[in-house]
Amino acid sequence: MRRGRSTRPTTTPAGDRRWLTGRPVAPAIWGSPLGPRLALAVLAILALSALAACGPRNGADQIGFLRGGQLWTINPDGSAAAPIAGGHVVSFAWAPDHLIVVFRYGAHATTAAAATLAAADAPSEIAVTSVDGSAAVTITPGVAGLAHSDAWWDATGNRLVYREGVVSAAGAAAGIALYELSQSDQPAGIARHALGGSLIAPAVAPDGARVALLDSQGNVRLGAPGAVGTVLVSGALATLPGGGRPARLLWQPGHQALLFAVLDGNGGVRLVLTDLAGDTRVIGDVPAALDYAFSPDGTELLVQTPGAFMVWRAASGADQTPTFTWPEADPLALAWWSPDGHDVLVRDRAGISLADLQARTARPLLGAPAPAVGPVRSGAPAAWQPLVSGPWSPDSARFVFADPGTGMWEGRPLPTAHSGGGLYVASTHAGGLPQLIDAGADTDPSWSTLDPSAAFLAGS
């Protein structure tokens, strides 16, 4: 049973934030005296105390999804479906402990297109709430007209990264958006650092004490949050050749090392790993790369090319050849590592497929007659961000997906209700048809979270 639910953030006039009691609380405005900020800090402490008093639910058993501008949770068997946040919610992401969730909301924000899975930057607010919807705290500053991106967690779940920028008279994001690193338990942006000067999404160290940035000269800089940092290596790419997609800075999970991309001398991409002493080694050369992400334990690297996915060893002594490659014709395909690193789930415009990295096989599961991923807008995405929300169950045995009920599962029709499809849970290797756990216009289901270094990018 859900209990202790307080009023959640909603779209209200500027300055009206309803947290613990449902009564308006005056926000801290940038440049204001210290007093209001201290008052908000006290409210944040009270909010966290209320969250703790509610008693944690078993968040690992919950699946999150969006429906009609609300954030819902549901058990994997279809029971206990209930909304936990409203106010035109357009995105969300579970924290690594799966007991709290960050979400973005606002009347001016628009829901992501058919499964770009990343809503475009727009005037909106970012908030954090518990798994039962209690003790919600809005973490963005109380300044009207600021555009925000979706937010993603660092590996520890203590901090959040998001973009923030000004808004044009037409109501769209304009100018340069800066990345912000914010604590997840402090309201109105009073405990955050601007990560200015990075051409691509910054990489937060696993301990949260350092941030890697890429400056305009191609230098990878490492320093404390908000600091300029010192140059670790030079010559890194901000944009991958050929398609204009962003290059990545990735902390290797479980290691003190950074991955970055350089040109290989033949117009392709060389993926290089450097430790904090500056010692570097090449993981591999790829003629053309679209994206790449570590396995959850950091021992392997999944690389997407215009025609295939390939897995490379990231451990010391790697022979610089992929260990497994399988075809993928859709350059807009999205991929998710399973939490145990044994499988990769791929969703493209043809449907869903599963790659078993231990058996070295890849097989189609869901055939979708309509496009499932990729921007439906004209032109390239304006920005990119990591897909830290994942469809996998924490034990990697099952995964969740949304379908209108028109897909075919290994040649057989999906189970449907009178209203069509909805949310489905499928077994990874057990076989059989997926279970329809909720009927309706549900989107963006998420069961688990990924370290940003183990997540692919989605365009917004």
Side-chain angles (χ1 to χ4, degrees), residues 73-357:
T73 59
I74 190 172
N75 289 328
D77 62 2
S79 64
I84 65 169
H88 302 278
V89 179
V90 296
S91 69
F92 71 98
W94 290 108
D97 66 5
H98 220 78
L99 294 177
I100 55 177
V101 63
V102 63
F103 61 98
R104 182 159 68 101
Y105 67 98
H108 297 288
T110 55
T111 304
T116 59
L117 297 181
D121 295 16
S124 51
E125 304 291 349
I126 298 172
V128 175
T129 190
S130 65
V131 68
D132 64 358
S134 63
V137 175
T138 300
I139 67 166
T140 43
V143 178
L146 284 179
H148 294 111
S149 71
D150 297 345
W152 58 94
W153 298 91
D154 69 352
T156 64
N158 294 323
R159 294 169 178 83
L160 290 157
V161 180
Y162 58 88
R163 286 184 304 272
E164 182 177 87
V166 298
V167 177
S168 69
I176 298 175
L178 299 178
Y179 289 97
E180 302 281 350
L181 178 67
S182 176
Q183 286 185 214
S184 61
D185 58 356
Q186 301 296 309
I190 65 174
R192 66 176 188 161
H193 295 280
L195 306 179
S198 186
L199 297 183
I200 57 179
V204 182
D207 62 6
R210 292 158 296 173
V211 178
L213 309 173
L214 180 66
D215 67 20
S216 58
Q217 286 75 47
N219 299 314
V220 177
R221 292 183 172 271
L222 184 64
V228 174
T230 58
V231 175
L232 182 63
V233 293
S234 299
L237 294 173
T239 304
L240 297 174
R245 292 200 186 190
R248 310 284 304 275
L249 280 178
L250 302 177
W251 284 94
Q252 184 182 13
H255 301 74
Q256 294 295 319
L258 275 166
L259 180 79
F260 60 96
V262 299
L263 293 175
D264 67 358
N266 298 310
V269 175
R270 173 165 292 172
L271 299 172
V272 180
L273 196 63
T274 183
D275 62 25
L276 300 189
D279 295 329
T280 63
R281 59 184 175 84
V282 176
I283 289 183
D285 291 344
V286 184
L290 298 176
D291 205 350
Y292 39 91
F294 281 108
S295 60
D297 64 1
T299 61
E300 296 179 300
L301 188 73
L302 179 65
V303 180
Q304 183 182 8
T305 72
F309 281 104
M310 53 182 62
V311 178
W312 298 72
R313 293 189 186 94
S316 177
D319 57 9
Q320 298 181 18
T321 58
T323 61
F324 179 43
T325 300
W326 72 95
E328 175 52 66
D330 186 357
L332 298 174
L334 301 174
W336 294 266
W337 283 99
S338 63
D340 62 12
H342 295 167
D343 301 278
V344 173
L345 193 70
V346 177
R347 182 140 202 179
D348 61 17
R349 285 176 289 187
I352 294 176
S353 59
L354 181 70
D356 184 333
L357 304 189

Side-chain angles (χ1 to χ4, degrees), residues 1-9 18-22 43-44 46-57 71 73 82-86 94 99-103 127-138 184:
M1 178 179 296
R2 297 170 188 267
R3 51 196 175 88
R5 186 176 303 148
S6 63
T7 303
R8 295 174 292 277
R18 294 174 169 84
W19 293 340
L20 298 178
T21 65
L43 284 174
L46 292 173
L48 293 174
S49 299
L51 190 155
C54 289
R57 298 178 64 201
L71 169 59
T73 59
I84 65 169
W94 290 108
L99 294 177
I100 55 177
V101 63
V102 63
F103 61 98
V128 175
T129 190
S130 65
V131 68
D132 64 358
S134 63
V137 175
T138 300
S184 61

